[in-house]
Amino acid sequence: MPGRKKRTGPSAAKRNLPLHLMLLPGILIVFVYNYLPMGGLVMAFQQYKPTRGLLGSAWVGLQNFRLLLSFPNTKQVVLNTLIIATSKLVLGLIVPVVFALLLDEIRSRRFVRSVQTIVYLPYFLSWVILGGIFFNILSPSTGIINRILEMVGLPTQYFLGDNQHFRWVLVLTDIWKTFGYGSIIYLAALTSIDSTLYEAAAIDGANRFRQVLVVTLPGISSIVFVMAVLSLGNI
């Protein structure tokens, strides 16, 4: 018996109209806050003056870019940006995965939930609050880190201003704030892996570390890829 044909034409469009109208507010928000501001990119090619606006400012072409590249510190600025962005991307994937794997080995569910709450809490805090916390922790005079260094006889460090430390301070503080969110996603992905795969791997003689390599990581690889793509928007 032939299958029923899908209804197309005006009747199908009329039936789906309420669904399309429900999408309209979200589409408008994305257009207003994501696509409309992209028109401001033209300022990079203008001698922009707020009093004249985009349409009244003089067009200078690539002059602003030539000026930027003429600065002696431009190369170092670009290098710092690449190192910081790449480090955040790589560590932002590795740290949550490793933490989720370690947390998954713990059998006490109450302890696991407590740890999840603790590591997830910084994700909800504003960078203004965390900035004050990090300033108090890393302060060269009153910070707890430098106090510990003094106690063991090591010189104090200016973590927030020394060019040898600031890149890793930026990376590590960002990872500390966000890795709890990723670890919860990976923990949820771990629960979807079929337990019989671990049993089969154990029968074949695979130890726990080998099971992680051949079963766990391939099982969550799709989630890792999705998280990697989503994290590109933060660079």
Side-chain angles (χ1 to χ4, degrees):
M1 184 176 178
R4 297 177 58 186
K5 294 183 178 180
K6 294 183 179 180
R7 299 175 61 185
T8 58
S11 60
K14 184 177 181 180
R15 187 174 65 255
N16 295 328
L17 181 60
L19 301 177
H20 295 158
L21 292 177
M22 292 174 63
L23 290 173
L24 186 59
I27 294 175
L28 289 176
I29 291 175
V30 171
F31 176 77
V32 172
Y33 291 101
N34 291 83
Y35 287 96
L36 199 58
M38 291 178 67
L41 294 175
V42 72
M43 287 190 296
F45 305 94
Q46 292 179 325
Q47 188 66 38
Y48 180 75
K49 294 184 179 180
T51 56
R52 297 184 178 182
L54 292 177
L55 300 179
S57 299
W59 183 268
V60 294
L62 299 177
Q63 180 179 336
N64 293 328
F65 294 94
R66 295 191 185 98
L67 178 63
L68 175 65
L69 294 176
S70 67
F71 293 151
N73 294 329
T74 297
K75 181 180 179 180
Q76 186 63 50
V77 170
V78 174
L79 180 62
N80 289 338
T81 302
L82 292 176
I83 292 176
I84 293 171
T86 304
S87 301
K88 285 183 178 181
L89 180 62
V90 174
L91 293 179
L93 293 175
I94 295 177
V95 173
V97 170
V98 173
F99 183 80
L101 292 176
L102 295 175
L103 206 59
D104 188 59
E105 295 296 322
I106 300 176
R107 294 292 173 257
S108 174
R109 294 296 96 186
R110 179 178 298 180
F111 178 77
V112 170
R113 288 194 293 268
S114 301
V115 173
Q116 283 180 323
T117 302
I118 294 173
V119 300
Y120 196 30
L121 180 61
Y123 184 78
F124 294 100
L125 298 180
S126 168
W127 272 113
V128 176
I129 298 175
L130 293 178
I133 295 174
F134 290 135
F135 179 81
N136 291 329
I137 293 176
L138 302 175
S139 172
S141 56
T142 60
I144 185 173
I145 302 297
N146 279 308
R147 289 292 180 90
I148 295 175
L149 293 177
E150 289 180 346
M151 291 174 59
V152 298
L154 297 176
T156 59
Q157 303 291 331
Y158 190 14
F159 294 102
L160 299 178
D162 194 330
N163 57 8
Q164 296 180 353
H165 302 302
F166 87 97
R167 290 188 300 206
W168 298 112
V169 170
L170 286 178
V171 173
L172 294 178
T173 52
D174 182 80
I175 299 301
W176 179 81
K177 183 180 187 298
T178 59
F179 87 96
Y181 172 78
S183 63
I184 289 179
I185 295 178
Y186 294 127
L187 279 172
L190 290 174
T191 61
S192 64
I193 300 177
D194 191 353
S195 60
T196 59
L197 297 176
Y198 292 103
E199 297 174 1
I203 293 174
D204 290 338
N207 56 23
R208 192 58 185 165
F209 180 74
R210 186 65 180 174
Q211 292 176 25
V212 170
L213 294 179
V214 301
V215 178
T216 305
L217 293 181
I220 64 174
S221 59
S222 60
I223 302 299
V224 174
F225 177 77
V226 171
M227 295 295 290
V229 173
L230 293 177
S231 63
L232 291 176
N234 297 325
I235 296 180

